Amino acid sequence: MSLFNVIDVAGSAMNAQSVRLNVTASNLANAGSVSGDQDKVYRSRQPVFETFEKTLASQDGVTGVRLTDIVESSAPLNMRYQPEHPEADENGNVYVSNVNTVEEMVNMISASRSYKNNVEIINTTKDLLMQTLSLGR
Amino acid sequence: MELNVLAHHEQALKFRASRNEVLSSNIANADTPNYKARDLDFGAALKSARGEGISMKKTSDLHMQAWKTARHGAELKYRMPTQPSLDGNTVEADVEQAAFAENALQYRASLAFLDGQIRSLRFAIKGGD
């Protein structure tokens, strides 16, 4: 029954989008974190999505989403001269994480809209299935 | 012979369920880089159901069909985006949502027709009331 596949497909998308929302949350939470050591500073993380063919589905064109990786951004860190800071290195510099707050807010809105879209898909499909079940009563 | 009408709408339901699957895959992959949106053409499915579809002439049982992605006589086709995006994704949320809503409505219409047919058959069997 192909309508059941729709629920799987939309479910996989909801899963991927909720991971994206989680990553955005941790980026925003760590947006202001600083360190004197460049290797210890929090770097912005981004999820990578990929299309995958559902193995159970017999037909082409039924594709869900899966998360393949979460990559750390290679954008340059923000350096600040602050010799009084307890974390400052020997030159008096501290490094601030490279999270772009504006980008993350956009990511958050985009992820929540996509999530809602998929919820609507599941609701509509559920309605269709229920109506099909009550056919001829 | 009355039951043939049920068969028509059964086929329509199958097509609509299939298209629902394809459209929901498009919406699910709205943020996946390089995903290409696809759709099924009702006109092609209708033509093939009426035996008007174009197909290769087979002279041997070993010959394969020209395409493997046919669903109820309709080929899966790639959608032409009106505003292509930089990441190679061709899903346009508004277009897909409109198509999804239309398809769900058509599914409900087929269900209503089927329901009416079953009702009138039952009416005939019971002899009224």
Side-chain angles (χ1 to χ4, degrees), chain B residues 1-11 114 117-118 121-122 125:
Chain B
M1 91 257 159
E2 182 89 14
L3 288 169
N4 275 340
V5 183
L6 293 187
H8 288 160
H9 283 292
E10 188 210 323
Q11 275 189 317
L114 268 179
Q117 278 298 325
I118 293 170
L121 276 176
R122 186 181 285 165
I125 292 167

Side-chain angles (χ1 to χ4, degrees), chain B:
Chain B
M1 91 257 159
E2 182 89 14
L3 288 169
N4 275 340
V5 183
L6 293 187
H8 288 160
H9 283 292
E10 188 210 323
Q11 275 189 317
L13 276 187
K14 277 184 184 162
F15 171 80
R16 292 292 166 197
S18 243
R19 184 157 182 245
N20 191 302
E21 220 172 55
V22 175
L23 293 175
S24 70
S25 296
N26 288 347
I27 295 176
N29 284 285
D31 296 318
T32 313
N34 292 318
Y35 179 83
K36 308 292 180 211
R38 288 184 281 188
D39 199 359
L40 290 171
D41 181 12
F42 179 76
L46 186 65
K47 269 190 180 165
S48 127
R50 290 160 78 184
E52 294 167 10
I54 306 166
S55 60
M56 296 283 216
K57 193 176 172 185
K58 287 185 194 168
T59 49
S60 157
D61 286 344
L62 294 172
H63 288 169
M64 285 181 281
Q65 234 187 326
W67 55 78
K68 73 173 179 74
T69 54
R71 283 170 165 244
H72 312 294
E75 222 180 324
L76 261 181
K77 288 178 183 160
Y78 290 99
R79 204 189 287 294
M80 292 301 292
T82 49
Q83 299 172 79
S85 65
L86 276 177
D87 64 354
N89 186 306
T90 62
V91 178
E92 282 160 337
D94 45 356
V95 174
E96 300 302 333
Q97 271 178 330
F100 186 86
E102 187 245 20
N103 194 58
L105 203 65
Q106 300 274 19
Y107 188 95
R108 288 202 173 104
S110 284
L111 273 184
F113 277 121
L114 268 179
D115 218 31
Q117 278 298 325
I118 293 170
R119 239 174 256 272
S120 49
L121 276 176
R122 186 181 285 165
F123 189 78
I125 292 167
K126 284 187 179 171
D129 132 69

Side-chain angles (χ1 to χ4, degrees), chain A residues 51-57 59-64 66, chain B residues 35 38:
Chain A
T51 297
F52 79 103
E53 301 276 333
K54 262 183 55 61
T55 45
L56 282 174
Q59 281 174 313
D60 198 15
V62 189
T63 50
R66 80 172 154 216
Chain B
Y35 179 83
R38 288 184 281 188

